[in-house]
Amino acid sequence: MDWRVRRIIDNLWGPTGTFIIHALVIAALMSWVTISKPPKDTGVEAIMVQTTPPEQLEELKRDLQKLEDLPQVVEAVAPPTVSIDQEPPAVDAVGAANDSVDLSDLNMLESASPVVFKGLWVGRSTGGRGDALGKYSGGMGERTELAVQKALRWLKDHQYPDGSWGPHYRVSMTGLALLSMLAHGETTASKEYGDSIRRGLRYLLKTQKDGMFRAGGPAYGTMHPTQIAVYEHAIGTYAISEAYGLTSIPYLRIAMEDAVQVIIDGQHEGGSWDYDYKKGPEANLDVSLAGWHIQALEAAINAGAENKGIKSTIETGIRGITVLADNASGMFRYSTRLKTEGPNLPMTGVGVLCMQLTGHAGDSEARAGIKALGNLNFRWSKTDPSLPNQDLRQVNTWPLYAWYYITQARFQQGGKDWILWNKQFAPTLCSMQNPDGSWGPAPASQEAAFGPVYCTALSTLMLEVYYRILPTYAPIEVEKPKADDQEKSDDIVIKFG
């Protein structure tokens, strides 16, 4: 072989030989190593939910069999039906100005959005609803779900062409109607309710200006426009936050965090919120306002809001609520403004639920409040509607509002007290539903001024309690008696979390 050819071969062998050797090694490794693709992200977060041990459930069933059957609490008296306008009232200057805003970015609402049931909302999937109804409804699930579906269809059929619900307080009514649909796991991607939800969200976004949801217009009933404005914003924020949490539509996050910032900035020094977000020494601590604002902030946190100071705002809000707790009765007062109004059960439901949702279920005010709520039965009607029974008198002239909070608080409490309440409230509320799926106001209440959307939405949210916000908190232990008269309680407690 010519020496020049040999030199070429020798020079090529170095890199070529190295390459061949490495290739053989890699091939050998691949013959016994399996490389798998990473799992595809489904976008669904799995949550472990602690269930009640079978032996504890059996013990509970045995004890419940010893309880006397509750008396029939419903009489065949149809609630009055309030008519609803076919066309919405004219919008005010705020709504008219927002009609000119370019909403082309909202076209994304027309497409199916991802559905992510996570955190406290895992019960809203089809399977989650079934599991929760099986665990918590006491066998009432089939009946309550039928009532819920009739109500949601009624709400869908009574939505205005502009996407709102009414006839009055249209931001609030739209927010409550949307919350009723979202609580059932319906989203912008839902076949039956997706269009209604998209149009409702579009309406809320059109009313948002400088972060605040505010349709404006005259106030009806006993509420002044400055009063209803803050309620409307809180309920609108609540609905937008849940919608973003369930769909992850980016534009909703912007609206949510802008709205949350209004709530953070509007909190007054005492811890709660006042009408028109006033501050200063003359401002008012208001448990009712705090209830909707704290629910909205909790929903925003669960949805992923990252506003600076949102958690400290909630803690300050809870301090503002506990200022109005009455040590003697265990109940909460309405506000510092109305010093003549004593503690009452509606505000007790608000205070207790807010404390439960924010991790304060074990605080003394919450425990005392739950004990006070145990004295109330769920009764709706009397033969003479002009003479409401004692239980209606205890919830003043806003019974649906009161029951909305009390039902959630007792559900989060769990145990025998919840089962007794559920045994009353679920069949009673279902029985008082109108044939068309709506609800009217309870007898002798002021809630008739708000219309059937208000009554229907609050009633629906109550019947969705089993899966709307899963109970992830330890049940409240009521205030124990003093050491000298303390007795061992025979209450059975179910741990839902």
Side-chain angles (χ1 to χ4, degrees):
M1 180 181 294
D2 186 89
W3 65 271
R4 285 171 292 191
V5 175
R6 181 178 295 276
R7 174 171 290 184
I8 292 172
I9 293 174
D10 290 341
N11 289 336
L12 285 173
W13 172 247
T16 303
T18 303
F19 173 79
I20 293 172
I21 292 172
H22 280 81
L24 291 173
V25 171
I26 292 173
L29 288 172
M30 290 182 67
S31 68
W32 58 276
V33 175
T34 300
I35 301 176
S36 61
K37 294 168 65 176
K40 183 179 180 180
D41 184 6
T42 63
V44 179
E45 180 178 345
I47 305 294
M48 295 294 293
V49 180
Q50 181 178 340
T51 59
T52 306
E55 61 274 11
Q56 192 174 2
L57 284 175
E58 289 302 317
E59 182 182 358
L60 177 63
K61 290 177 182 178
R62 289 194 300 271
D63 275 40
L64 287 178
Q65 289 172 356
K66 301 175 185 177
L67 297 174
E68 295 182 1
D69 288 337
L70 293 170
Q72 178 68 20
V73 296
V74 181
E75 297 177 14
V77 179
T81 302
V82 182
S83 62
I84 183 169
D85 299 332
Q86 295 304 308
E87 294 295 333
V91 296
D92 71 338
V94 174
N98 285 347
D99 280 340
S100 63
V101 176
D102 179 12
L103 297 178
S104 59
D105 286 343
L106 301 185
N107 288 336
M108 65 185 71
L109 292 177
E110 301 298 334
S111 61
S113 57
V115 180
V116 182
F117 297 98
K118 59 184 179 180
L120 301 180
W121 298 331
V122 295
R124 301 189 187 191
S125 65
T126 302
R129 283 200 309 275
D131 290 344
L133 288 166
K135 291 177 184 177
Y136 311 130
S137 74
M140 285 291 299
E142 185 175 348
R143 186 176 180 186
T144 60
E145 277 299 277
L146 178 61
V148 166
Q149 290 167 11
K150 289 175 61 178
L152 293 181
R153 292 188 184 109
W154 184 92
L155 288 170
K156 182 186 71 170
D157 292 342
H158 288 77
Q159 185 178 20
Y160 290 133
D162 68 353
S164 69
W165 279 269
H168 315 310
Y169 312 124
R170 288 165 60 198
V171 167
S172 298
M173 297 306 114
T174 302
L176 291 175
L178 286 173
L179 286 169
S180 300
M181 293 179 177
L182 296 167
H184 197 253
E186 312 296 341
T187 70
T188 54
S190 298
K191 182 178 180 180
E192 185 170 2
Y193 300 103
D195 179 66
S196 289
I197 294 172
R198 288 192 296 269
R199 292 193 294 120
L201 292 173
R202 190 182 296 273
Y203 171 81
L204 288 182
L205 293 172
K206 287 175 67 175
T207 67
Q208 190 177 33
K209 185 177 181 181
D210 298 327
M212 188 165 183
F213 299 109
R214 190 170 186 172
Y220 294 81
T222 60
M223 300 192 74
H224 190 273
T226 60
Q227 293 176 275
I228 197 61
V230 285
Y231 279 104
E232 291 214 280
H233 178 69
I235 295 172
T237 304
Y238 194 177
I240 286 288
S241 297
E242 285 209 355
Y244 174 69
L246 294 176
T247 66
S248 300
I249 296 172
Y251 200 93
L252 294 180
R253 183 186 186 107
I254 297 171
M256 172 184 70
E257 292 187 336
D258 287 349
V260 164
Q261 197 59 48
V262 171
I263 294 176
I264 293 173
D265 295 340
Q267 186 179 41
H268 79 60
E269 301 88 334
S272 186
W273 289 264
D274 197 4
Y275 301 143
D276 216 20
Y277 293 129
K278 290 188 299 186
K279 297 184 180 182
E282 299 302 319
N284 179 52
L285 287 168
D286 189 311
V287 170
S288 180
L289 282 177
W292 290 111
H293 284 80
I294 288 175
Q295 286 177 96
L297 293 177
E298 277 294 309
I301 288 177
N302 201 33
E306 296 181 349
N307 299 67
K308 183 178 180 181
I310 184 172
K311 293 184 178 179
S312 61
T313 299
I314 290 175
E315 289 302 307
T316 304
I318 293 298
R319 289 200 299 272
I321 286 177
T322 55
V323 167
L324 290 162
D326 179 68
N327 293 331
S329 65
M331 295 189 289
F332 290 73
R333 300 192 308 278
Y334 171 59
S335 71
T336 54
R337 179 183 287 116
L338 299 178
K339 299 182 185 298
T340 58
E341 183 176 312
N344 59 77
L345 290 175
M347 293 305 106
T348 304
V350 177
V352 170
L353 179 66
C354 288
M355 297 187 76
Q356 290 169 324
L357 295 179
T358 56
H360 291 274
D363 292 5
S364 59
E365 296 88 353
R367 299 199 309 272
I370 274 291
K371 185 175 181 180
L373 293 177
N375 299 322
L376 178 69
N377 292 310
F378 191 104
R379 290 189 174 93
W380 183 295
S381 64
K382 286 274 290 184
T383 303
D384 183 357
S386 66
L387 298 173
N389 59 41
Q390 180 179 359
D391 294 301
L392 275 175
R393 284 200 298 271
Q394 289 187 74
V395 291
N396 299 333
T397 55
W398 301 89
L400 286 171
Y401 173 90
W403 291 330
Y404 165 82
Y405 280 103
I406 292 169
T407 296
Q408 291 183 84
R410 297 186 80 160
F411 174 64
Q412 293 293 335
Q413 174 199 9
K416 186 171 68 179
D417 284 347
W418 157 249
I419 294 173
L420 290 173
W421 178 260
N422 183 56
K423 193 174 182 180
Q424 295 180 46
F425 112 86
T428 302
L429 198 56
C430 289
S431 296
M432 301 312 291
Q433 187 178 29
N434 290 326
D436 65 0
S438 68
W439 275 269
S445 78
Q446 295 183 21
E447 293 172 311
F450 283 1
V453 171
Y454 167 89
C455 298
T456 302
L458 286 186
S459 298
T460 304
L461 289 166
M462 278 188 266
L463 292 176
E464 294 169 326
V465 69
Y466 311 108
Y467 47 78
R468 185 184 174 211
I469 301 177
L470 287 185
T472 59
Y473 314 99
I476 294 177
E477 183 179 0
V478 299
E479 286 280 17
K480 295 179 180 179
K482 296 179 181 179
D484 54 352
D485 60 354
Q486 184 172 353
E487 296 180 1
K488 185 177 180 181
S489 171
D490 60 354
D491 283 357
I492 298 171
V493 177
I494 301 177
K495 293 188 177 180
F496 289 136

